Amino acid sequence: MTYVRHIEHENIVHRCFRCGYCRYPSNYSDFNCPSYKAFGWDTFAPGGRMWLTRAWLAGEIETSARFAEIMFSCVACDNCKNQCVFPKFKDFLPDIFQETRAELVGEGRIPPGVRDYFKAIAVNGNPYKLPQSERGAWAAGTGLKPFNNHKYLFYTGCVGSYDEVGQRMAKSVGKMLVDAGLSVGILGSEETCDGNDVRVLGEIGLFTQLAQANVDIFKAKGVREIITLDPHALNTFKKDYPGLGGIFQVRHYSEVLAELIRKKKIKLKTYPAKITYHDPCYLGRHQNIYQAPREILKAVPKAELIEMHRHGPNAFCCGGGGGNFFTDILGTAESSASRVRVREAAETGANILAVSCPNCAKMLSDAVKMEHLEDRMEVLNLAEILERARK
Amino acid sequence: MSDIRKSLVDIVGERGVSDAPEELWFYSRDPGVLAPHRPDYVVAPQTTEEVQKIVRLANRQKIPVIPMGNGMSLAGLVIPLKGGIVMDMKRMNKILQVNPMARYVVVEGGTSQGALKAYLQKNHPTLRHSIPDAPPATTIAANVSLHGQGRLTNQYGFNSDMVTGLEVVLPTGEICLIGSPSIGPYWISKGPTLPDLSGLFLGWLGCTGIITKVGLKLYPNKKIRDAELFVTDRVDLIPHILYKLTHLEMLEDINVWFQPKPLMFLGNFHITIFFTGDTAEEIEFKRKMIWDTLQEYMDSKDGGFMAIQYMKSVLLEMPGRNIADFADVPKGGGFEYSGPIAPIEHFPQYAAKLVELAAKYNVLYASAARLISGGHAMMFSISFAFNRNDPAMMERVENALDEAMAFALDMGGIPWKPNFKEQKMTLERMEPNARNLLLMIKNNLDPQGIMNPGNWEVNA
Amino acid sequence: MHQLKFDQKVCASCRSADCLLKCQYMKFSGHKEAHGEMMKIMKGKDSRVLTECMTCYACEEYCTRGNHPFYLISERREEKGMFTAPRPITNQWINMTKMQGKYLVGDVKDKALSCCYIPDLGALGTGEIFKDVASAGVFGAEFMCPAVHTHFARMSVIKERLPVVIENYRKLGVKEVICLHDECYGTLTSIASAYGMEVPFKPVYYLDYVLQRMKELKDKIKPLNITIAYQRSCSNRLIPDKLPVVKKIFQLIGVKAPKRTYQDKNALCCAEILRSISGYKLADDVVKRNIDDMVKVGAEYCVFNCPACQISLSEKVAKRGLKPVHIIDLCKMAIGEKERGTI
Ligand SMILES: Cc1cc2nc3c(=O)[nH]c(=O)nc-3n(C[C@H](O)[C@H](O)[C@H](O)COP(=O)(O)OP(=O)(O)OC[C@H]3O[C@@H](n4cnc5c(N)ncnc54)[C@H](O)[C@@H]3O)c2cc1C
Ligand code: SF4
Ligand code: SF4
């Protein structure tokens, strides 16, 4: 078949069998592709996206709002990459969806929410359309200082900087790092959006601009080691920044906190609670970090960690990945990812849903309200849980 | 037509209907080689009542309805050959009840094999159902609509034999219970001791109604499963080996497979022998029985057991995740198979024909036969892989499959999940009175001819 | 075509006939019978040995006069069109190990690390111990020694393929090939010399290499203080002079290997090949005697030096409470690279 449009991995799209293994966790207990779960059409499953991409490349279907919706409702959770049964091409599934989105961006045919997102970031530097000068405001009272030859840069990202729930996480983590005696500073108003989700949504030009700005300032400030609040930032710093000359030692704060506990820099009393932990896609499947957060929770005396049915590599996304946190293409219906996920969390009987990513924190906090689970379950980030155990 | 769209939206809501080019393109085809045909609408009902309303609407408007599970028959059975409404059943996916003592489950008409497997594993670990090796997204109702076979078929018959009752929406819109649930609360028999009406729906490929509930037998799930792999290069011995193995009357499943690639498989026929036990002693006892019964072939050096420790986990997977690998051998994501049901003694002839056809049409073959009911018959799969970007290769596969089915019918086999062409071939050979009976049933049940038209169409 | 160098005179004048008399799987009434059978084999006559030999390789070691009784038995079997294992299994091995151009060559300079065609070996040849050569791995049928076909009495396959393998290494321009498997080292030394094949590089036995490295890493070694039973592989019989290396390694890492009934020359085979040739009865018996013996001496670990033995016996020893571990992993444990729990 000759294609009239082109993407990098076009020589693979015809190899999808559309068998549908990709929409499941490894034990097939429920649908694990958030987009398929929400929309319920085969076209919204990874295999559907593969087949439609091929049809679209071949000109058998045209660019349309529906096609864009199908492509942009993929939250880049990487479940399909893990579950597809064809080892020779499974690794490229999310890339193919990203490349298709990039083509749509090129054609200028993207959902309004995505357009607004790009525009806000291009104009304001953040999707909240808030002034850059307020980017570091959250740090007040944490003891965090502007980065100045510190050993570590604590990189916050847009959600941690501007969103209320995100700020809560940034504050508690930041304070904990300072309290543990780490030499750590922040960039505050000099920080730029990490661009991970911009890239995933296919705006490679804007991403490169953002990333380059970060790389430049990191270098100018002499940054060597970075602790990220947001697993999304962790992901792009590790995967994409080196290609732009940005080679730093990057860790997620959960890895750092786990180490501080191990080294007894953070001491814990007891905190009797039943905790279940939600693996963020960008920490888990994308970066293979499953143990550090669990190590933290298991270190809390009297706390009990109860796993959700789907966890680790099989975790179900909160629905906030791949820019959906802002663009909200998945919507908030009963079958939307965040609501499904908090119901699953509640099933464990846990009274705390532990999160380690600011996007998940916000998505799941909202969903707990929508599901009227506030009385049964509290969404807390890892540092907040440690905070309670320190009292 | 937009009136129909509006009526459909009234029934299932905006999120349950699509006539967008994207869905119409996708739901007009399956992964096999048959040409696509566009539906007019795709709907996804969530309740029996919605199904009923859609069918009534279709009756009034005389437009086709094609029930669909995951579209994995590969034989184009969900391609809307005459347009109409493709009904994606997968949102009706509840597991309604399990009766653990009577060992049955009742599921909705779109519940997937994977979901049932996970549910039983979690909630009833001592029970299992007969899982086919089809991908887990395929549905139970679809599988019994085409007389599928699964892991327990060697012991207990076709998966459709395991049905314990049905709820169907007739082509004219009535909701109808079949078997014991039509009399009382228990889903314990699909027919006997009554006149068995389930035969009006099982194996009809959605041409006589839409199954909205299925009762299905469950079986003991032993604690340990194990497998042995026996190989021989003498195809003439296969029927005898199978006869001896089935005589043991203690095996879970027996599959015979051969394929030229990868090279290690070339020239040999492989018999995977599955068995189960609750204790290590039971497993060892059965293993010895298996080895003892085949010792004579080892002594004559004609056959032997492979050391399979390193591939055991793959062999024991249910469904077998690696089965679809074959599709990608020509790096093109496709394979199609027809699987005639035939006496085991014909294995050598079928095997020879498969190799002959692959050479004649220059396509890659594989075969995996599954024993049915302890050896009364086998499903002999005639599989060819193709590259989806190579239309000429796809046409060769289509022709090879046509020829394979003609051969199977000549050999006295009967087709399994036949595509519309194979159905035609079959009907032409059918004894005329039997054919007329089929026609009579179809016309009476579906006077407007709206159910999956193009399939099981009898031209009197 | 290379011919087996078998000195008939040496055999004819042999007073011990140890090759057959010591065999663990065939019984002979005494020197006369054993020697008589060997003479028949030499002359190309029928012998019960040709049908009864289990291909355990041991006679290669039992013969102390430098002849090659096992290769001869295998030659004769093939000449007579005999099969040891079932024909389809024999052919499967021949097909499976055919060179198809699907090999991997790492960053090879003057040394190559032979990972044969066994993925497990690639994982073993890593870490601090192999840090200088891990990147120089080669993998694939092109670099696999064909010794396995002796089990199936298909010496023709060896004669055809071994020169190609040797040539493939030569083309890499290496001075040394570190063999991660006894079979590989045994082939490049014993078999190659028995057939007069020239090997234009130095085969290095991996346990020699490991021993050397462990000496260098001495500071990092924390004695394991465990008791083990060692499963000797069949191909170690081709290189009996290397037997002491294992013991030296054990000493170095603080591993006790109490004396067993079935060790060294009396070692029992992992029985996989026995199972394939004659069925489960003999194999089960050998496995049982072997593991009983391991348990009797109080071993906590069963240590392997061959991935094939390990695959075949792991589950079985684990069921009896022993932990299966490859000797390389044991060394990695000793220098803290692997946790005991992960084995
Ligand atoms: C890799 C692979 C392995 C396979 N292995 C097996 C195997 O081991 N055993 C086996 O049996 N099959 C096997 N198959 C074939 C096939 O996938 C299965 O039979 C499967 O059960 C089909 O389910 P589906 O949901 O995809 O059916 P579909 O293709 O969607 O439907 C099949 C037929 O059922 C009808 N139908 C669907 N739902 C209903 C309903 N609710 N009421 C009435 N009619 C309905 C459809 O109209 C159609 O005619 C395999 C296929 C593949 C690709
Ligand atoms: S992406 Fe992989 S698992 Fe999913 S439908 Fe395609 S081939 Fe199947
Ligand atoms: S990355 Fe996640 S959301 Fe996107 S197609 Fe794959 S499973 Fe679905």
Side-chain angles (χ1 to χ4, degrees):
Chain A
M1 183 177 289
T2 46
Y3 295 130
V4 296
R5 299 184 179 89
H6 296 284
I7 59 171
E8 187 186 336
H9 288 99
E10 65 186 19
N11 59 336
I12 300 174
V13 285
H14 70 288
R15 289 167 71 174
C16 164
F17 192 67
R18 83 180 245 195
C19 50
Y21 274 97
C22 47
R23 60 177 81 155
Y24 286 102
S26 57
N27 74 351
Y28 319 128
S29 58
D30 199 347
F31 300 123
N32 228 26
C33 166
S35 163
Y36 179 69
K37 178 78 183 173
F39 288 89
W41 298 111
D42 285 349
T43 41
F44 284 78
R49 265 186 270 283
M50 287 288 275
W51 279 54
L52 285 182
T53 297
R54 176 164 174 259
W56 179 74
L57 291 175
E60 289 187 19
I61 57 169
E62 292 309 315
T63 306
S64 70
R66 178 71 162 183
F67 182 69
E69 184 183 31
I70 291 170
M71 289 302 154
F72 282 91
S73 66
C74 158
V75 295
C77 73
D78 260 16
N79 182 70
C80 50
K81 176 174 163 177
N82 269 17
Q83 296 300 331
C84 169
V85 288
F86 290 95
K88 300 219 171 96
F89 64 80
K90 63 192 278 187
D91 286 351
F92 304 108
L93 296 172
D95 295 344
I96 288 171
F97 307 146
Q98 184 186 315
E99 289 159 18
T100 303
R101 286 189 290 263
E103 277 298 298
L104 288 169
V105 170
E107 284 186 18
R109 298 287 297 274
I110 55 178
V114 179
R115 178 168 307 127
D116 294 347
Y117 175 68
F118 289 153
K119 196 169 158 209
I121 292 185
V123 174
N124 307 89
N126 67 76
Y128 298 91
K129 301 187 192 154
L130 290 169
Q132 178 70 15
S133 56
E134 285 173 24
R135 200 169 173 106
W138 62 271
T142 57
L144 280 163
K145 298 265 160 2
F147 184 88
N148 183 11
N149 283 326
H150 289 93
K151 181 161 167 48
Y152 300 103
L153 168 68
F154 181 42
Y155 179 90
T156 332
C158 297
V159 185
S161 300
Y162 292 104
D163 182 275
E164 209 178 309
V165 178
Q167 286 176 342
R168 238 175 67 201
M169 186 182 288
K171 270 179 194 283
S172 54
V173 174
K175 191 160 176 308
M176 190 141 299
L177 296 176
V178 173
D179 286 359
L182 240 57
S183 159
V184 53
I186 58 168
L187 286 179
S189 58
E190 289 181 282
E191 185 181 282
T192 302
C193 171
D194 57 73
N196 185 66
D197 294 9
V198 172
R199 183 187 52 84
V200 168
L201 286 169
E203 206 348 336
I204 308 302
L206 179 57
F207 163 72
T208 313
Q209 216 177 307
L210 297 168
Q212 201 61 62
N214 271 324
V215 170
D216 290 348
I217 189 145
F218 293 171
K219 280 188 172 165
K221 298 256 174 195
V223 171
R224 286 168 202 278
E225 294 187 46
I226 305 175
I227 301 170
T228 74
L229 178 73
D230 193 336
H232 296 229
L234 175 84
N235 182 64
T236 190
F237 287 179
K238 282 178 122 170
K239 277 198 192 136
D240 309 311
Y241 279 33
L244 297 165
I247 299 170
F248 311 99
Q249 252 206 54
V250 192
R251 285 192 296 168
H252 184 245
Y253 78 82
S254 60
E255 300 174 276
V256 179
L257 292 184
E259 188 184 297
L260 290 170
I261 294 173
R262 235 177 287 140
K263 291 189 172 160
K264 308 232 169 353
K265 296 269 166 61
I266 297 176
K267 295 207 183 72
L268 299 168
K269 295 179 193 146
T270 63
Y271 180 48
K274 285 187 176 169
I275 306 177
T276 190
Y277 171 69
H278 167 78
D279 288 278
C281 304
Y282 276 104
L283 197 61
R285 278 186 290 264
H286 284 268
Q287 286 297 330
N288 241 315
I289 299 173
Y290 299 107
Q291 283 320 312
R294 290 182 167 78
E295 199 184 323
I296 294 173
L297 295 171
K298 284 181 188 161
V300 177
K302 291 249 154 80
E304 183 190 353
L305 175 64
I306 317 169
E307 294 288 3
M308 278 184 263
H309 194 69
R310 290 178 281 181
H311 63 269
N314 287 307
F316 186 52
C317 171
C318 73
N324 255 275
F325 181 75
F326 299 100
T327 60
D328 200 25
I329 295 173
L330 290 185
T332 51
E334 224 182 277
S335 57
S336 68
S338 56
R339 292 182 62 180
V340 172
R341 191 59 171 162
V342 295
R343 290 200 297 269
E344 188 172 348
E347 262 177 41
T348 63
N351 57 343
I352 288 176
L353 170 52
V355 290
S356 56
C357 159
N359 298 256
C360 301
K362 169 77 173 148
M363 294 295 291
L364 298 177
S365 299
D366 289 352
V368 163
K369 287 181 203 135
M370 273 183 272
E371 290 286 323
H372 307 295
L373 290 167
E374 301 102 309
D375 297 339
R376 284 172 55 188
M377 202 168 61
E378 201 178 354
V379 179
L380 289 181
N381 73 64
L382 297 172
E384 285 172 319
I385 294 171
L386 291 180
E387 203 52 61
R388 290 192 186 181
R390 290 211 295 179
K391 292 218 168 94
Chain B
M1 274 304 213
S2 66
D3 275 357
I4 296 179
R5 187 193 148 86
K6 193 178 161 301
S7 311
L8 288 172
V9 171
D10 285 344
I11 299 169
V12 291
E14 273 291 348
R15 282 191 158 224
V17 189
S18 176
D19 59 354
E22 289 73 20
E23 277 75 39
L24 297 188
W25 185 91
F26 186 88
Y27 285 92
S28 58
R29 61 201 70 230
D30 81 350
V33 290
L34 290 186
H37 191 285
R38 208 164 248 264
D40 299 301
Y41 304 94
V42 188
V43 295
Q46 285 181 293
T47 63
T48 301
E49 288 64 37
E50 288 177 3
V51 173
Q52 179 180 45
K53 285 180 188 160
I54 296 163
V55 171
R56 288 203 164 133
L57 172 73
N59 253 298
R60 285 199 301 277
Q61 302 287 346
K62 295 197 179 50
I63 61 172
V65 177
I66 299 91
M68 171 189 170
N70 200 44
M72 277 290 129
S73 74
L74 309 179
L77 299 176
V78 296
I79 294 175
L81 298 171
K82 302 188 177 174
I85 302 171
V86 169
M87 188 182 284
D88 183 335
M89 299 294 292
K90 289 193 291 297
R91 292 190 204 176
M92 290 181 63
N93 60 3
K94 289 200 262 310
I95 292 163
L96 298 168
Q97 55 158 309
V98 171
N99 186 327
M101 206 41 116
R103 292 202 179 103
Y104 68 76
V105 61
V106 183
V107 300
E108 284 189 324
T111 304
S112 69
Q113 305 280 359
L116 180 58
K117 181 186 174 195
Y119 181 86
L120 292 175
Q121 222 160 34
K122 184 170 171 210
N123 300 294
H124 300 279
T126 57
L127 295 173
R128 64 187 293 203
H129 77 291
S130 178
I131 294 181
D133 276 314
T138 58
T139 70
I140 292 159
N143 191 249
V144 300
S145 298
L146 53 64
H147 288 312
Q149 310 103 43
R151 198 46 89 211
L152 298 177
T153 286
N154 175 51
Q155 292 184 73
Y156 303 107
F158 285 97
N159 287 354
S160 44
D161 292 335
M162 302 171 192
V163 169
T164 62
L166 295 170
E167 179 192 84
V168 285
V169 174
L170 298 183
T172 38
E174 297 87 347
I175 299 171
C176 193
L177 283 166
I178 304 294
S180 62
S182 70
I183 312 270
Y186 298 105
W187 291 65
I188 48 175
S189 171
K190 67 181 161 65
T193 56
L194 315 168
D196 190 349
L197 296 177
S198 69
L200 298 175
F201 308 97
L202 300 174
W204 276 87
L205 308 176
C207 292
T208 51
I210 297 171
I211 298 174
T212 45
K213 286 186 188 131
V214 192
L216 197 68
K217 289 182 188 167
L218 301 175
Y219 298 91
N221 188 26
K222 298 269 217 172
K223 291 196 184 101
I224 312 170
R225 291 181 70 234
D226 209 333
E228 289 286 345
L229 188 47
F230 191 78
V231 292
T232 178
D233 52 5
R234 280 186 56 187
V235 67
D236 58 306
L237 293 179
I238 299 278
H240 304 283
I241 294 172
L242 297 177
Y243 190 80
K244 283 174 148 269
L245 285 171
T246 46
H247 183 85
L248 292 175
E249 217 186 8
M250 57 165 64
L251 304 177
E252 180 198 61
D253 191 13
I254 304 172
N255 303 161
V256 193
W257 49 278
F258 62 102
Q259 57 193 57
K261 280 184 176 183
L263 209 49
M264 74 175 283
F265 296 137
L266 181 68
N268 284 340
F269 298 86
H270 308 74
I271 305 176
T272 317
I273 304 159
F274 298 92
F275 53 108
T276 60
D278 278 323
T279 60
E281 288 72 39
E282 189 178 350
I283 289 286
E284 281 319 305
F285 172 72
K286 288 182 177 172
R287 190 193 317 283
K288 284 178 180 165
M289 295 291 285
I290 294 165
W291 280 66
D292 285 343
T293 205
L294 301 181
Q295 182 71 39
E296 64 175 280
Y297 303 106
M298 287 187 73
D299 294 343
S300 66
K301 308 288 181 195
D302 288 323
F305 289 90
M306 274 173 70
I308 53 168
Q309 286 91 337
Y310 69 99
M311 56 153 106
K312 211 176 246 182
S313 61
V314 172
L315 280 178
L316 290 175
E317 248 172 6
M318 291 186 294
R321 289 169 67 94
N322 67 329
I323 294 210
D325 281 5
F326 174 55
D328 204 41
V329 179
K331 296 196 172 36
F335 86 100
E336 180 164 336
Y337 72 108
S338 71
I341 308 299
I344 287 171
E345 64 197 75
H346 287 168
F347 190 97
Q349 289 94 320
Y350 278 94
K353 189 69 186 180
L354 173 61
V355 176
E356 176 200 318
L357 288 172
K360 175 172 170 187
Y361 291 98
N362 184 24
V363 285
L364 185 71
Y365 72 85
S367 175
R370 166 170 268 148
L371 293 206
I372 295 165
S373 299
H376 296 299
M378 64 177 170
M379 184 283 295
F380 185 95
S381 95
I382 299 171
S383 319
F384 300 112
F386 57 84
N387 184 322
R388 205 173 291 290
N389 266 0
D390 184 343
M393 190 191 283
M394 289 174 76
E395 197 183 318
R396 295 202 303 277
V397 166
E398 187 174 346
N399 293 337
L401 285 168
D402 288 350
E403 198 173 327
M405 185 47 65
F407 170 81
L409 290 168
D410 284 346
M411 291 288 292
I414 50 173
W416 173 51
K417 65 178 181 66
N419 65 31
F420 71 93
K421 291 186 287 181
E422 295 167 341
Q423 293 164 26
K424 210 169 233 123
M425 283 189 226
T426 309
L427 288 169
E428 277 162 16
R429 294 186 190 228
M430 200 179 275
E431 189 273 318
N433 287 334
R435 190 169 57 218
N436 287 341
L437 180 59
L438 214 103
L439 174 70
M440 191 176 85
I441 292 169
K442 166 75 183 165
N443 285 349
N444 274 291
L445 278 174
D446 183 14
Q448 307 281 8
I450 59 163
M451 288 306 304
N452 206 357
N455 288 289
W456 287 135
E457 261 180 12
V458 197
N459 305 315
Chain C
M1 190 63 120
H2 296 274
Q3 293 299 323
L4 175 63
K5 293 194 281 181
F6 188 88
D7 193 335
Q8 302 215 357
K9 280 185 282 237
V10 168
C11 227
S13 65
C14 177
R15 301 228 175 139
S16 75
D18 272 351
C19 55
L20 292 182
L21 271 181
K22 287 198 172 159
C23 175
Q24 290 161 295
Y25 306 105
M26 274 178 282
K27 292 286 160 271
F28 299 90
S29 52
H31 173 270
K32 191 167 166 228
E33 192 198 355
H35 192 256
E37 291 300 328
M38 206 58 209
M39 290 301 102
K40 286 195 220 161
I41 295 168
M42 241 169 58
K43 292 179 186 137
K45 294 189 188 154
D46 287 342
S47 157
R48 72 176 171 98
V49 172
L50 299 182
T51 41
E52 290 175 21
C53 155
M54 286 291 138
T55 78
C56 76
Y57 289 29
C59 47
E60 278 295 302
E61 178 180 36
Y62 298 154
C63 169
T64 49
R65 314 181 85 211
N67 244 350
H68 294 290
F70 178 52
Y71 304 155
L72 182 73
I73 293 170
S74 300
E75 287 275 353
R76 292 292 185 259
R77 284 174 145 168
E78 183 169 17
E79 283 161 24
K80 292 179 182 295
M82 295 171 73
F83 286 85
T84 57
R87 194 176 54 246
I89 300 279
T90 305
N91 290 329
Q92 182 181 65
W93 274 93
I94 294 173
N95 283 334
M96 184 165 58
T97 54
K98 213 175 228 160
M99 298 177 196
Q100 297 176 72
K102 293 180 190 162
Y103 56 86
L104 302 169
V105 173
D107 183 16
V108 174
K109 298 208 174 66
D110 55 349
K111 281 184 190 152
L113 181 67
S114 167
C115 303
C116 181
Y117 201 11
I118 310 176
D120 294 356
L121 286 180
L124 286 168
T126 55
E128 193 55 34
I129 301 172
F130 291 94
K131 85 175 187 322
D132 295 334
V133 288
S135 60
V138 294
F139 173 87
E142 277 72 5
F143 299 101
M144 175 191 184
C145 80
V148 67
H149 304 289
T150 49
H151 281 306
F152 303 112
R154 286 300 170 272
M155 302 312 276
S156 58
V157 178
I158 296 175
K159 286 184 272 188
E160 178 195 313
R161 290 187 190 173
L162 183 52
V164 183
V165 171
I166 294 173
E167 173 62 12
N168 287 341
Y169 279 115
R170 192 196 59 77
K171 281 194 284 198
L172 293 177
V174 291
K175 294 202 182 79
E176 287 183 10
V177 172
I178 301 157
C179 304
L180 275 172
H181 195 196
D182 285 17
E183 194 126 322
C184 173
Y185 182 73
T187 303
L188 292 173
T189 52
S190 166
I191 297 185
S193 98
Y195 283 90
M197 294 175 195
E198 201 193 320
V199 179
F201 49 84
K202 181 180 165 209
V204 176
Y205 182 44
Y206 81 101
L207 288 180
D208 280 333
Y209 186 86
V210 169
L211 179 63
Q212 181 55 36
R213 285 291 295 143
M214 292 304 282
K215 282 180 186 162
E216 288 161 19
L217 293 168
K218 203 159 177 157
D219 294 347
K220 287 200 171 177
I221 298 177
K222 284 210 187 95
L224 290 168
N225 292 325
I226 52 172
T227 305
I228 64 106
Y230 172 62
Q231 172 59 36
R232 192 182 179 206
S233 63
C234 52
S235 42
N236 196 260
R237 308 276 196 176
L238 307 183
I239 46 172
D241 54 313
K242 294 295 179 192
L243 199 49
V245 185
V246 176
K247 292 179 184 162
K248 284 184 196 153
I249 291 178
F250 287 162
Q251 252 167 25
L252 204 57
I253 59 177
V255 162
K256 275 200 298 292
K259 192 163 164 39
R260 299 174 48 193
T261 311
Y262 300 116
Q263 71 175 40
D264 303 340
K265 284 196 175 171
N266 290 325
L268 285 173
C269 150
C270 75
E272 206 50 53
I273 193 69
L274 310 187
R275 196 175 301 278
S276 174
I277 291 177
S278 81
Y280 69 86
K281 291 192 179 95
L282 174 64
D284 283 357
D285 171 60
V286 167
V287 168
K288 182 169 183 311
R289 279 191 284 140
N290 196 3
I291 303 182
D292 280 349
D293 190 39
M294 297 180 187
V295 171
K296 205 172 81 193
V297 299
E300 304 156 66
Y301 287 78
C302 174
V303 179
F304 296 96
N305 111 23
C306 159
C309 297
Q310 190 167 359
I311 290 179
S312 130
L313 283 179
S314 278
E315 216 184 293
K316 298 188 175 86
V317 297
K319 274 197 186 128
R320 303 284 304 274
L322 284 96
K323 293 177 201 116
V325 59
H326 192 281
I327 187 164
I328 292 179
D329 279 333
L330 202 65
C331 292
K332 288 181 177 177
M333 258 161 68
I335 55 169
E337 219 171 70
K338 263 209 145 92
E339 283 174 42
R340 293 187 187 203
T342 60
I343 299 295

